[in-house]
Amino acid sequence: MNLRSRWLAVPGFICIAALATMLSAYSGASSSEGNSPVQPVKFRHTIHVDTLKMNCLYCHFAANKSFDPGLPAMSTCMGCHTVVQGTTPDNKAEIQKLAEFWNKKEPVPWIRIHKLPEYVHFPHMRHINAGVTCQTCHGQIQTMKQVYQASSLNMGWCVNCHIGQSNPPFRARYDCSACHY
Amino acid sequence: MSTDQDRAASSGPNAPNGVKRREFLKVLGVGTAATTMLGCTQEKVEKLIPYLISPDQTVPGVSNYYATTCRECSAGCGVIAETRDGRTIKLEGNPEHPVNRGALCARGQAALQGLYNPDRYRGPMARKNGQLQPVNWDEALQIFAQKLGETRSRGGAGSAVFINQHESGSFPGFLDAWLAAFGMPPHLSYDAGADHAVIAANRQTYGVAWPRLDFRAARLVVSIGADFLDSWGAMVPQQLDFAEARADHENAPRLIYVGPRRSLTGLNADQWIDCKPGSEMAIVQLLGGQASAQAAAQATGVSETVLDAFAREFASSTPSIVIAGGGGADGLEVALAANALNSRGNVGTTIKPNEGYLGFDRMASPAELRALATRMITGGVSLLMVRGANPAFTLPKAVGFAEAMARVPFKVSFSSYPDESSELADLILPDHHSLEQWGDAEPVRGTISLQQPAMDPVFDTRATSDVLIAVAKKDPANAARYPTADYRSWLIGRFPGGAAALAAALPHGFASGSLAEPTTPRPVPPVHATAPIEQSSGNMYLVVYPHPFIGDGRGANKPWLQEIPDPVTKICWQTVAEMNPGTAERMGLANGDLVTVRTAAGSLTLPVLRYPGIQRDTVAIATGRGHTHAGRYAKAGLNPLEILPDGEDRAGGVAFVSTKANVTKAGGYAHIVTTEGSARQHGRGIGQAIAIADLRAGRPGYDSGNANAAEIAQAGGTETPAGERPEGAAQHGEEMPGDASHAFLPGMRSPVANDAQGEQGNPLSNDKGMYDPKHWSGMAKRRWAMTATPRTTSRPLARTGKSARSCPIEQALAPICCEVARWRGFVSSATTRAGKTAAPISTRASCR
């Protein structure tokens, strides 16, 4: 390494790294929009919500009273599925998987899809109680055979709604401390 | 900066392990770049783990609150436990509770760190081949039941001993009934932190163990070593009562503190009389008129003028309160004499025996435990059971409790945590934490304070009460006496009004009623009385005092209590020898210099802390630290009980101030672990002071940090010196000298658009701040870290019109952004994975 390249290498690297960071952030490429992992048990929102017309709050019981929407306890699942065994072979197999977890006294390790960074607060109850539907953020979840992240969950996407650009329009605070506190 | 040798070692050819600077930088650069690139990819796979069965009434992220009773000391304060997601996360005082009225001390707050303590016993353990090994509860209970049977069949039941932590409520009675059923004598209720001399004196004078002190009614409070604000007796209600009394500027009582060391109570006093340790009796005699000021000055080393003024003030101030404590060798005599001074109209006015605290009744004294140690050495104890107490640590080492305990054939510990006593046990049946179990207390007559679980047990522990019931059920002779399934059912059966009344009372945390516990004192066994302190040899008096937070040592494994600075010395995590700066100067000792403190019982080497609030011939050391077997945090510091000679006051309590010590410079230095850079204000006026007379007259007073304060006070003290008044401060009489202006500074407001306030904003304002389309930043069209505008939006905001201010750099970069996104495989893969129903990614804002 001659003198010149030595003096260029380190600042050059820093420049490239900084550029990469900014491009990545600006392009929104860090969003996991569309992420749709295969879950350990193929839970079907289509059957539960679209066909059986179950209310979202039956399982996500805390969505209107807590920051956290609430993940149903295994006992909630088994409340019905000790009786309901499914009709098609596929469904029977999945319910069987659920029962196996329950018999082992293990929770199903669901894979998380929607995740905001730690420095953002998203109080579910305020959105639900303001009349924002689940679908506004989570997409047409009742028709998803396998749940995917329908929205980018990036800040620009949040702010669009907070400044009243959604349909129907909502008005909410959008100063920094509304979410970053 | 490296030395020549270093350089030779690192750059020479024979340095195989040396990392060259250049290589290091290369690795660093590549690593940073890799992290930068990888860090922007998708989040790591995270799991959502549901409950199997959700705890009662649990809403994630929303707290439940349970009213229960604090068991960290025997006072019995009411607490509200905040439980979120099935875990208790915060304790606060119960505002309705008659004892603590919403307040909670540091020890109570730190109860949580006992609950989640990493060193807690995970489950029962039994000694096998000399080692404590985990066993399951069935096996542990089997061993316990078998040992109880063996003890009884060999006729040893009468010599079995149960030591319980001191507490009020129904458990002590329940325990005695259980012991009687197995033919065993009543238990020893032990609290190492209690002032036994004062309790005995109070019983004799007032007929109760701990009367309520009504500071509001008093004109003068004289505390002779009684640290009623630190940890002496019913601390929380005493603090509240004192604060309330002193907040009343018109009628605030004066407080005079007599003692060799200014504790937190001493620092709250208007006057400190720094008598020699062991000379308190002379002061009490002076106040009682039995001795002259000259004689008292002779004995105490305090100037005669001061004592004379003190005696005259005391004689003219009625009603008053005189309290004495402090653990001297003549503690009982001093406390009795001090109580006698209250006979001039204080009892019933300022000292209220009828409103006394019941948490100090039926307590076994350290003398009883010393007698027990003697019995254990000679093989007179067949079975030893210990719950919650740690006599192997809290008694002076000279008593030899640990050695004696090792001689007992079988030892059972019910401790939740490892400590010096449980380490010697053969069987450990860990108790629930107090926040995990049922119970009750009767802190004041007529109030039952209720204890209920605030959460499910953290570990595989069991309430001792339930263990006792389970073992009795296994015993054919006793099964019939214990028909209830557990202690909770037993409590319900005993509670006035039964289950319905209990259910109604639980949300409040207490109920009226009485468990009608006997409050008779225990007879004191022959005590091993200490000789007067002047008869011991040494160049300084040794004052051992209970640490205000860690106490007798039970809080030592809670990092909060180690970390919270001592209110007086500001020391954390450390044991120091406190010495008067003048004495330290004479001996050539700076802060942190090591000294050896040697008594007849042993020696300790520890750093010196210069503390002006200490009598000049005294060295003071706090108890509670320096454990050997109480967990990872409790090892910090040293234990002064190791050098305290075996000796008691005449009530059987440990005589903490009973000996002189030889203090010598040891050589060497240890950093002082303190949160305080300097104890002085250096004229900066950080802690402001004003005389009450000035405050009431509306005068500004004088700055306590001002070097000329005394002169200003002499000259009338009515004017703040010129130049002291801050710029822009309020009118004369409203500001504190040296205080910064509290006026609203318009420039400090956060620049937030009215529009951003949502519903809270002004609906008439049209201020959109930086999201206004005309804002110079162009932020309405260009949001950082943004992607798509919602598909539901008819007019995507980010694309509204072509503004002349559209940023050229942005336009130039946009195609590159899209290329980068595609290159990284993000856009295409996201579309594929999401399937046909996925959102159209092409609306990504920057891809035009």
Side-chain angles (χ1 to χ4, degrees), chain B residues 634-690:
Chain B
K635 291 179 189 127
L638 295 163
N639 180 14
L641 296 178
E642 287 179 13
I643 60 166
L644 197 65
D646 169 23
E648 287 134 15
D649 56 44
R650 279 164 196 82
V654 173
F656 286 109
V657 185
S658 61
T659 184
K660 288 187 186 177
N662 260 316
V663 181
T664 48
K665 191 169 180 172
Y669 174 83
H671 276 289
I672 296 287
V673 186
T674 177
T675 56
E676 184 179 68
S678 166
R680 307 267 71 82
Q681 299 192 35
H682 301 287
R684 287 178 295 166
I686 299 162
Q688 300 283 336
I690 187 169

Side-chain angles (χ1 to χ4, degrees), chain B residues 602-726:
Chain B
S603 72
L604 277 185
T605 300
L606 68 177
V608 161
L609 181 79
R610 293 170 165 214
Y611 172 43
I614 202 153
Q615 199 269 343
R616 59 189 176 280
D617 301 321
T618 301
V619 60
I621 308 177
T623 60
R625 290 196 167 109
H627 285 261
T628 51
H629 291 99
R632 61 195 74 180
Y633 309 111
K635 291 179 189 127
L638 295 163
N639 180 14
L641 296 178
E642 287 179 13
I643 60 166
L644 197 65
D646 169 23
E648 287 134 15
D649 56 44
R650 279 164 196 82
V654 173
F656 286 109
V657 185
S658 61
T659 184
K660 288 187 186 177
N662 260 316
V663 181
T664 48
K665 191 169 180 172
Y669 174 83
H671 276 289
I672 296 287
V673 186
T674 177
T675 56
E676 184 179 68
S678 166
R680 307 267 71 82
Q681 299 192 35
H682 301 287
R684 287 178 295 166
I686 299 162
Q688 300 283 336
I690 187 169
I692 287 182
D694 280 340
L695 189 67
R696 280 162 61 187
R699 294 189 298 260
Y702 56 90
D703 183 2
S704 64
N706 191 323
N708 301 323
E711 285 86 324
I712 296 164
Q714 288 279 310
T718 53
E719 271 298 334
T720 304
E724 288 280 299
R725 188 168 305 153

Side-chain angles (χ1 to χ4, degrees), chain B residues 740-767:
Chain B
S741 169
H742 290 253
F744 179 68
L745 303 173
M748 298 300 285
R749 261 174 65 190
S750 75
V752 168
N754 176 72
D755 188 52
Q757 303 301 318
E759 287 166 353
Q760 292 161 28
N762 177 4
L764 302 174
S765 165
N766 203 25
D767 176 16

Side-chain angles (χ1 to χ4, degrees), chain A residues 26 31 66 74 110 112 148 174, chain B residues 48 51 60 755 810 826 837:
Chain A
Y26 194 77
S31 166
S66 172
M74 293 287 285
W110 302 109
R112 184 166 190 171
Y148 59 87
Y174 59 88
Chain B
L48 288 171
Y51 281 115
D755 188 52
E810 180 203 349
F826 181 76
T837 46

